[in-house]
Amino acid sequence: MWQVLAAGSLFFPGLYLVLKRCAHWAGPGWTEGECSLISARIVSSLQGILAATSGIIIITSCKDVKFDRHWLATGYIWFIIPYMVYDTYAMYLRHWYKCQDKRILNGKEHFSKAMNSLLKKDFLMLVHHTAILTIIVPIGLFLRRDIGDFFVGCLFTAELSTPFVSLGKVLIQINWQNSLLHKVNGAVVLITFFICRILLFPFMYNAYGKQYGIPIYKVPFNIPLHCNVINASIMAPQIYWFWLICRKALRLYTSHPQTKDR
């Protein structure tokens, strides 16, 4: 799978650079930071589509939720490793350009301000990316003993909400935050996030229970403790992010026109 790892290492940064050049052409008045931001969001959207599609293929192919195999379950994990590294750097670039816009010219001060901004505003996302690379990826590739591809596919489908989240941010960036499209997209974000990131976990427990004839409320007591711990650790930030999305949705549908959020 090293070929897949190499392909991802070329694909995501390369796509970002191509999109950034296209953004300069499409929006001559955009700053370097704005072009970088919209390019990164499009890359995130595409990755979300690829991951969700892979997840759906795996889920529909695995009849036995524990032992059936599909090559995408490990193949896409290798592909997502360079994306997580790239996306972490893209998050840093977002804050680097913000500090540049504030005309912090000293190199060390610029780096320090950008890192402080990243740690302050995107700390949970940074922890999320780090946990995926250092915990979830090793488990998915080496520690699960080639079982549970169905559940790996389920976790991939969580990315289905990502394109809509990114679209909402792009609409704000181009000052369409008061458009009907933005409001409709906000509703889709709520629905897809709730289904694919919150209801996903009851769905997985229910699928396991149906196969082995166990009521869903007894499933946590019939699977290894570490599976429950991992699921709870993944689900906890999803609940927090869903709460933040609900707050933003409330402002979107009840408040006056919003200001541009970079």
Side-chain angles (χ1 to χ4, degrees):
M1 290 298 180
W2 294 108
Q3 298 92 332
V4 179
L5 186 67
S9 300
L10 293 174
F11 178 74
F12 292 111
L15 180 61
Y16 164 79
L17 293 174
V18 170
L19 289 171
K20 189 176 175 184
R21 182 176 292 272
C22 292
H24 278 296
W25 174 79
W30 287 350
T31 65
E32 190 76 12
E34 288 172 326
C35 291
S36 174
L37 190 56
I38 197 168
S39 302
R41 285 169 176 165
I42 295 173
V43 174
S44 294
S45 297
L46 180 58
Q47 191 284 137
I49 293 170
L50 292 174
T53 302
S54 299
I56 292 170
I57 292 172
I58 295 168
I59 291 170
T60 55
S61 300
C62 294
K63 305 306 178 184
D64 186 311
V65 302
K66 187 174 182 180
F67 294 110
D68 276 359
R69 303 299 316 281
H70 195 286
W71 66 270
L72 275 172
T74 53
Y76 198 80
I77 294 177
W78 284 106
F79 194 62
I80 207 174
I81 292 172
Y83 169 76
M84 287 296 169
V85 176
Y86 146 80
D87 198 49
T88 301
Y89 181 67
M91 281 195 296
Y92 167 75
L93 278 182
R94 173 187 174 187
H95 296 276
W96 190 88
Y97 281 119
K98 274 189 175 182
C99 293
Q100 186 182 52
D101 290 343
K102 295 176 182 178
R103 298 184 179 181
I104 299 173
L105 301 179
N106 179 274
K108 283 188 176 181
E109 184 184 5
H110 192 172
F111 174 78
S112 177
K113 291 289 185 180
M115 285 300 299
N116 288 338
S117 178
L118 172 64
L119 293 173
K120 181 179 179 181
K121 297 182 179 179
D122 283 319
F123 178 75
L124 185 56
M125 186 62 72
L126 197 60
V127 171
H128 176 256
H129 279 42
T130 303
I132 287 176
L133 288 171
T134 59
I135 300 174
I136 304 300
V137 165
I139 290 174
L141 291 177
F142 309 115
L143 301 180
R144 62 187 179 93
R145 298 174 296 172
D146 294 331
I147 61 176
D149 283 14
F150 174 86
F151 301 109
V152 174
C154 289
L155 294 177
F156 286 166
T157 62
E159 290 294 309
L160 185 62
S161 62
T162 300
F164 303 105
V165 173
S166 296
L167 175 59
K169 293 178 179 179
V170 169
L171 292 174
I172 292 174
Q173 183 175 341
I174 62 176
N175 287 319
W176 282 24
Q177 61 266 40
N178 301 310
S179 65
L180 177 61
L181 176 59
H182 187 240
K183 293 184 178 181
V184 171
N185 183 71
V188 176
V189 168
L190 277 172
I191 295 169
T192 55
F193 199 98
F194 181 69
I195 293 174
C196 298
R197 295 188 180 235
I198 306 298
L199 292 185
L200 172 69
F201 295 92
F203 170 78
M204 291 194 293
Y205 279 75
N206 183 63
Y208 185 93
K210 284 179 66 177
Q211 178 165 312
Y212 292 98
I214 305 169
I216 187 172
Y217 65 89
K218 289 186 178 180
V219 171
F221 306 102
N222 285 270
I223 61 176
L225 176 62
H226 65 268
C227 293
N228 292 314
V229 172
I230 291 172
N231 285 335
S233 300
I234 297 174
M235 187 176 183
Q238 311 305 325
I239 293 174
Y240 173 70
W241 284 322
F242 182 68
W243 175 67
L244 292 180
I245 290 172
C246 289
R247 289 180 57 189
K248 290 181 180 179
L250 183 64
R251 292 198 300 267
L252 174 63
Y253 297 116
T254 61
S255 64
H256 295 293
Q258 303 173 25
T259 58
K260 186 175 180 180
D261 177 18
R262 295 182 185 175

